[in-house]
Amino acid sequence: VEEEAEEVAEAEVEVEAEVEEEAEEEVLARKVLAAQQQSREVFLPSVHPHPLEPCYRRSNYCDVRGPGCKYAPTMYTCTECVPAWDICQTCFDKAPRDEAGPSAVKDSLADLLHEISLATHDEEGGDAGEDDMGDAIAEEDDEDVDINQLFRQAQAQRHADSMQRDEEETEEEEF
């Protein structure tokens, strides 16, 4: 009788141990599943209108080029933009964090689209020189302008301004 009682007690201990192991495995499995389902996207509307996801890229350059920018490597990318839009860790860390999330951006976009839908064309009011997108219609004199050259000049100026800000920050840190 005592042997049977000991065997029953040992069986109960084994069953309890198996139940505990299964419970621990289930908890671990739930944690793994939750981690996989959790979105890695980050939304920073102060620097980019689309969600960003972590993506280390050595060959890409930061599109923000803010103060102290490392230019490369980039740590986050937008998968919606073509060509890729990337940001380095420094610019990401320094980006203002808006309390307004995607829903606030969607609401403001919806308001803007509603206002545009209600807009009327006023030829006497001065908008006759604009097309449906609100862009000024090109004048005949504009044909001589090389848009690509203007774009390259603007990029070079932006880069030079960014470099100058970096130099000023470095000088301030030295003092």
Side-chain angles (χ1 to χ4, degrees):
V1 175
E2 288 182 10
E3 288 180 6
E4 286 181 12
E6 285 180 8
E7 289 177 9
V8 169
E10 288 177 7
E12 288 177 351
V13 169
E14 288 178 8
V15 168
E16 288 176 5
E18 289 176 7
V19 168
E20 287 178 8
E21 284 181 16
E22 288 177 5
E24 289 175 6
E25 289 176 3
E26 186 176 328
V27 168
L28 180 61
R30 285 184 185 177
K31 287 181 180 179
V32 169
L33 182 60
Q36 289 174 344
Q37 291 176 342
Q38 184 180 26
S39 176
R40 297 175 357 156
E41 291 183 342
V42 179
F43 192 70
L44 287 175
S46 63
V47 295
H48 193 68
H50 304 133
L52 305 173
E53 68 178 28
C55 184
Y56 179 81
R57 292 186 176 169
R58 283 183 163 174
S59 60
N60 289 16
Y61 294 97
C62 180
D63 290 299
V64 175
R65 309 263 170 101
C69 180
K70 300 297 182 205
Y71 303 108
T74 58
M75 301 304 287
Y76 292 85
T77 190
C78 175
T79 56
E80 295 181 30
C81 290
V82 176
W85 189 94
D86 302 291
I87 184 171
C88 71
Q89 189 66 52
T90 302
C91 291
F92 180 84
D93 291 342
K94 290 183 178 183
R97 300 301 197 256
D98 296 338
E99 293 298 322
S103 61
V105 172
K106 289 178 184 174
D107 291 343
S108 64
L109 180 60
D111 292 341
L112 179 62
L113 291 173
H114 178 71
E115 288 177 25
I116 290 171
S117 71
L118 298 177
T120 58
H121 183 67
D122 181 14
E123 294 203 21
E124 292 179 23
D127 67 350
E130 297 180 358
D131 63 12
D132 292 340
M133 298 299 290
D135 298 326
I137 296 174
E139 299 287 330
E140 290 180 17
D141 297 343
D142 292 342
E143 291 178 14
D144 297 335
V145 176
D146 182 4
I147 299 297
N148 291 327
Q149 179 64 28
L150 291 175
F151 180 72
R152 285 190 295 275
Q153 288 172 348
Q155 279 185 319
Q157 183 62 45
R158 182 176 174 194
H159 180 70
D161 292 345
S162 178
M163 295 297 287
Q164 183 177 359
R165 281 193 307 266
D166 288 347
E167 289 175 10
E168 291 171 359
E169 284 182 6
T170 304
E171 289 174 4
E172 290 175 7
E173 291 174 3
E174 290 176 358
F175 292 108

